[in-house]
Amino acid sequence: MIDAAAEKAVYRRIDARIVPVIMIAYVLAFLDRINVGYAQLQMKQSLGFSDAVYGVGAGIFFLSYFLCELPSNLWMQKIGARLTFLRIMVLWGLTSAATMFVAEPWQFYTVRLLLGVFEAGFFPGVILYLSWWYPSHRRGRVTGLFLFGIPVTGVLGGPISGAILSGMDGVHGYAGWQWLFVLEGLPTALFGVVVYLLLSDRPGDAPWLSASEKALVQKVLDSDRDLTGSEVASHGRASAFAALRDARTYVMGGIYFACACSVYTFTFWLPTMIKALNVGSLGAVGLWSALPFAAGGVGILLVSWSSDRFLERRWHVATTLFLGTSALYATTLVGGAFWPTMLLLCASAFFSFSCVVFWAIPPTYLSREAAAAGIAVISSIGILGGFVSPSIIGWMKTVTGSLDAGLGLMAGISIAGGLATILLVPGRVPPRA
């Protein structure tokens, strides 16, 4: 038996060391994904881009991201997490800052493609990294804390982005949207060095853990793998590529596709929806956008806590998929009334962001050997939702002049993902050792 008090104590130390670092890194990652949503409020008019051009540019990032995720995760197993995160963060930070020089649609598409290449592997890399440190019964909470960076990005990034657009416009001859990419991109490159210095690849490499603490963590992880062994046998233990032959990998990839559609529909089009409420300046758009993101933060914390508390994943994920984008579509039914729209945006954020508890599922059902490939494949399939949702909605908005049809389609995809979760995904978490 494992001493529960000793386990709790050592994981308090691990939480304090790892969680703040990866959460700040993800705040920067997500900010570099969604700041284009704020920049386009000024950038489209300045450069003469249509909604379709913006939608393709916002989404094309995910195509190159899709192609490079699996190689990045497999390489991470060879060189370790610290070097992987350093490479990723420095290159994507510099590329994001370089977006300030965009002048033509093809340049916009090119820099977004490069951003996807360089950032690929960060998210699945962190999910894999957490599986090296945390047993299955702790992953829901810690995954939720990591992904709490999404709403934190909105709460802080929205007002900051709005302030940069308004306050820096024209400074030294550059537009506000150009300053936005520079001031939000370069800190990512610098923080990549901090991540390299503060993190350890695995528990056995951590100089801040004693020998007895390292042994305890390894015992917890080994016991967890023993408990989940019968669940993952079909993935095989000889090769990481065994995950590619398992239908469950693609089922989970499809469900994550629905999650990604929900999240990126919300994040890429939230500034546009709030601006349509006639709130005033671009700075005001950023300030009001913080409210739904705050609701999303509450959702992530509550749903991930509940999922670990009841050792259940399926219904938690399905419920968030049913309600997240449906609430966003419901904004089209209230006639542009300010407070009903804002309340529905808050409800949408609460459930859309909470679907990230899904990421507590794959490491439990993939063997240790298959985890790197399996997580990367699931993430690669799912992340295409980040291309599909802004591209289709942007095209539909250009053609129809309204977001309504696109939001309805995304709500349908999310509902289908929820049904697949209920029917095809195991709901219980292996019991604590």
Side-chain angles (χ1 to χ4, degrees):
M1 292 292 292
I2 296 172
D3 186 331
E7 178 187 342
K8 185 175 181 179
V10 73
Y11 272 101
R12 275 201 300 265
R13 292 197 64 193
I14 292 171
D15 287 346
R17 182 78 178 204
I18 290 177
V19 172
V21 176
I22 63 172
M23 191 177 80
I24 293 171
Y26 196 56
V27 165
L28 294 170
F30 208 74
L31 184 60
D32 281 341
R33 290 188 193 182
I34 69 169
N35 60 8
V36 69
Y38 294 96
Q40 58 94 16
L41 297 176
Q42 198 177 72
M43 184 182 187
K44 287 189 302 184
Q45 182 177 2
S46 174
L47 300 180
F49 290 179
S50 67
D51 285 310
V53 168
Y54 162 65
V56 171
I60 204 169
F61 159 92
F62 296 99
L63 288 181
S64 53
Y65 193 101
F66 162 79
L67 294 172
C68 297
E69 271 195 303
L70 179 56
S72 180
N73 244 33
L74 294 177
W75 194 21
M76 175 173 153
Q77 284 197 310
K78 296 181 180 296
I79 69 173
R82 296 167 68 227
L83 281 172
T84 297
F85 296 153
L86 176 66
R87 167 185 61 83
I88 288 173
M89 295 188 71
V90 169
L91 290 176
W92 108 51
L94 294 177
T95 303
S96 181
T99 309
M100 73 174 295
F101 299 112
V102 163
E104 301 289 339
W106 70 267
Q107 295 171 336
F108 183 43
Y109 299 154
T110 300
V111 78
R112 294 290 293 176
L113 279 169
L114 289 174
L115 190 62
V117 170
F118 295 139
E119 192 179 327
F122 178 74
F123 179 81
V126 171
I127 298 298
L128 177 63
Y129 181 70
L130 293 177
S131 75
W132 293 349
W133 287 81
Y134 290 88
S136 57
H137 62 268
R138 291 183 177 273
R139 279 189 209 127
R141 181 187 59 84
V142 74
T143 302
L145 288 173
F146 161 54
L147 294 171
F148 188 65
I150 296 176
V152 168
T153 303
V155 171
L156 299 178
I160 291 172
S161 297
I164 293 173
L165 288 174
S166 298
M168 298 293 291
D169 193 32
V171 174
H172 297 302
Y174 293 105
W177 66 266
Q178 293 175 297
W179 283 111
L180 177 67
F181 287 115
V182 173
L183 296 179
E184 294 182 353
L186 293 182
T188 298
L190 296 176
F191 196 72
V193 178
V194 175
V195 170
Y196 177 80
L197 295 175
L198 292 183
L199 292 186
S200 300
D201 283 329
R202 294 177 185 264
D205 303 321
W208 41 273
L209 289 178
S210 67
S212 61
E213 289 172 328
K214 293 176 183 178
L216 175 60
V217 173
Q218 192 59 54
K219 185 177 180 181
V220 170
L221 294 173
D222 289 342
S223 178
D224 184 61
R225 291 181 187 118
D226 289 341
L227 284 169
T228 59
S230 61
E231 297 287 343
V232 301
S234 65
H235 286 273
R237 297 183 180 278
S239 168
F241 289 102
L244 299 173
R245 298 191 296 269
D246 194 314
R248 289 182 296 180
T249 301
Y250 301 99
V251 168
M252 288 188 283
I255 293 168
Y256 184 51
F257 176 86
C259 292
C261 282
S262 179
V263 169
Y264 289 111
T265 295
F266 181 90
T267 54
F268 281 135
W269 294 101
L270 176 66
T272 299
M273 296 175 74
I274 291 181
K275 185 181 180 184
L277 297 175
N278 298 316
V279 298
S281 68
L282 296 180
V285 171
L287 288 172
W288 278 111
S289 69
L291 187 58
F293 276 106
V298 174
I300 287 179
L301 294 179
L302 289 180
V303 173
S304 60
W305 171 85
S306 175
S307 180
D308 273 0
R309 170 67 178 80
F310 295 102
L311 297 178
E312 200 285 328
R313 309 296 189 206
R314 180 175 60 226
W315 282 101
H316 283 79
V317 173
T319 300
T320 62
L321 283 169
F322 288 148
L323 298 177
T325 313
S326 296
L328 196 61
Y329 175 71
T331 61
T332 67
L333 307 177
V334 297
F338 181 82
W339 282 111
T341 300
M342 287 301 298
L343 289 173
L344 286 168
L345 289 174
C346 289
S348 177
F350 183 98
F351 291 109
S352 292
F353 294 154
S354 299
C355 72
V356 297
V357 76
F358 162 84
W359 277 109
I361 298 174
T364 302
Y365 297 102
L366 299 175
S367 67
R368 176 167 47 180
E369 292 80 4
I375 289 170
V377 170
I378 293 166
S379 181
S380 296
I381 294 171
I383 208 66
L384 289 176
F387 171 73
V388 169
S389 59
S391 299
I392 288 181
I393 293 176
W395 174 76
M396 287 184 168
K397 186 174 186 293
T398 298
V399 172
T400 68
S402 170
L403 290 172
D404 296 9
L407 294 179
L409 176 60
M410 293 304 117
I413 290 174
S414 294
I415 291 170
L419 291 173
T421 304
I422 292 172
L423 296 174
L424 301 173
V425 174
R428 296 294 297 174
V429 180
R432 294 175 176 85

